[in-house]
Amino acid sequence: MVWCRVVQRFSVETTAHSQMVDITPSVIEAVTDSGASSGLCFLHVLHTTAGLTINENADPSVQTDILDGLERIVPFEASYRHREGNSDAHIKATLVGFSEALFIERGSLLLGTWQGIYLCEFDGPRRRQVVVKIVPEG
Amino acid sequence: MVWCRVVQRFSVETTAHSQMVDITPSVIEAVTDSGASSGLCFLHVLHTTAGLTINENADPSVQTDILDGLERIVPFEASYRHREGNSDAHIKATLVGFSEALFIERGSLLLGTWQGIYLCEFDGPRRRQVVVKIVPEG
Amino acid sequence: MVWCRVVQRFSVETTAHSQMVDITPSVIEAVTDSGASSGLCFLHVLHTTAGLTINENADPSVQTDILDGLERIVPFEASYRHREGNSDAHIKATLVGFSEALFIERGSLLLGTWQGIYLCEFDGPRRRQVVVKIVPEG
């Protein structure tokens, strides 16, 4: 068993100021394309006002509740110093995080039943870049 | 040095609605069982209303303060849309995160003196699944 | 392509109670020293009242806004039980996280244009330890 890299990159066009975009299909495609039967899948978003998280893939109102909840925690308007007017997005992204490390088993992502992978847009709409590195085993 | 996978899975029975369960012993056991002297240990919880974090392993009141602090930030009751009544748990889990990547050195986990690994239950009591992948070196 | 470990450790002297210290130069140095042209770079901070995050490397007022924002979310003074008086720091560190997993491509870190890597001090000033593990490919 050896370490082989498979790096991919995909972009996500967000359409709202705050939005959670389900990127699970893109990640599954990257895993499938790699041919890896088992291993690890690393994701990283190349921005500072968008993040990556995992959450429920069934009821879309969960996404609304997460975005609304984050807005209550870190309001868009507050006494921020940064003049670009997106300080809340920087804080939200740091809270959510920029990376994920997922398991690959039997040729597909090992996710819980209700787990989907989301790009969290906090300062959109924008085009966002996500890089994927797949480390196959065997 | 080659990449060898060792995957394990363990379950955690939580006993309260909100709870931090010290899973460090289970992770150490997985590392020991793997025989790895150095490498990486990846953890992932297969849920959307529970998370993984690292925090103080000494005074249990730190865990209480963390859970209370998260409850102040994301109250159980608010104007959520998701009808299952656990939107706060989804938000808390996204804030805490679902994965950890830890170092293995000299046959054991490389943790700081006060670091323990915790499963954070936000919608319990439930049985939770944690998967562990150990990547030994050498 | 084989898995080879390169572990390094560096310390960060923080100078304020709350502070974001740009550790990108130290991480780049570790990557350069490893000679890896591609691979992964794992970071872990060995504490429970300091964290690691990624955020904007240009306008320092973003760091101020993030620290102020976290202080609004998790105030230094509240009804905490832990007697050391740093419960807010424990909570903030759990929100921010303790690890990062970064990509190495073409001999350097694959970061977004505006991304810097920060140690987040929440209970300083102190000397903090960060461990780095570089997994080169090829």
Side-chain angles (χ1 to χ4, degrees), chain A residues 1-3 20 38-40 42 53-57 59 61-62 64-66 68-70 72-73 95-97 100-105 110-116 120 135-138, chain B residues 1-9 42-49 73-75 78-84 86-87 89-91 93-99 101 131-135:
Chain A
M1 286 178 287
V2 294
W3 167 284
M20 287 176 68
S38 66
L40 287 161
F42 297 95
T53 195
I54 287 167
N55 221 294
E56 181 174 314
N57 56 15
D59 179 2
S61 65
V62 172
T64 309
D65 285 342
I66 292 173
D68 288 355
L70 287 169
R72 273 193 294 271
I73 299 170
L95 292 177
V96 162
E100 295 293 338
L102 299 162
F103 292 17
I104 302 167
E105 295 297 329
L110 179 59
L111 292 172
T113 310
W114 307 107
Q115 288 187 325
C120 301
V135 182
E137 304 161 305
Chain B
M1 285 179 287
V2 292
W3 166 285
C4 307
R5 80 189 157 113
V6 181
V7 186
Q8 293 195 19
R9 181 187 289 247
F42 297 94
L43 303 174
H44 182 63
V45 62
L46 295 169
H47 305 277
T48 58
T49 55
I73 300 169
V74 187
S79 55
Y80 301 120
R81 298 190 189 189
H82 184 48
R83 295 193 174 184
E84 291 182 20
N86 60 357
S87 286
H90 286 285
I91 302 169
T94 272
L95 292 176
V96 162
F98 302 88
S99 303
V131 286
V132 188
K133 194 185 277 270
I134 289 162
V135 182

Side-chain angles (χ1 to χ4, degrees), chain A residues 31-53:
Chain A
V31 171
T32 304
D33 285 357
S34 77
S37 60
S38 66
L40 287 161
C41 173
F42 297 95
L43 302 174
H44 182 65
V45 62
L46 295 170
H47 305 277
T48 59
T49 55
L52 293 178
T53 195

Side-chain angles (χ1 to χ4, degrees), chain B residues 48-116:
Chain B
T48 58
T49 55
L52 294 177
T53 195
I54 287 167
N55 222 294
E56 181 173 317
N57 55 15
D59 179 3
S61 65
V62 172
Q63 298 158 39
T64 309
D65 285 343
I66 292 172
L67 293 173
D68 288 355
L70 287 170
E71 180 62 27
R72 272 193 295 270
I73 300 169
V74 187
F76 174 66
E77 293 202 40
S79 55
Y80 301 120
R81 298 190 189 189
H82 184 48
R83 295 193 174 184
E84 291 182 20
N86 60 357
S87 286
D88 66 308
H90 286 285
I91 302 169
K92 286 165 181 162
T94 272
L95 292 176
V96 162
F98 302 88
S99 303
E100 294 294 339
L102 299 162
F103 292 17
I104 302 168
E105 295 296 329
R106 301 182 188 181
S108 63
L109 284 175
L110 179 60
L111 292 172
T113 310
W114 307 106
Q115 288 186 325

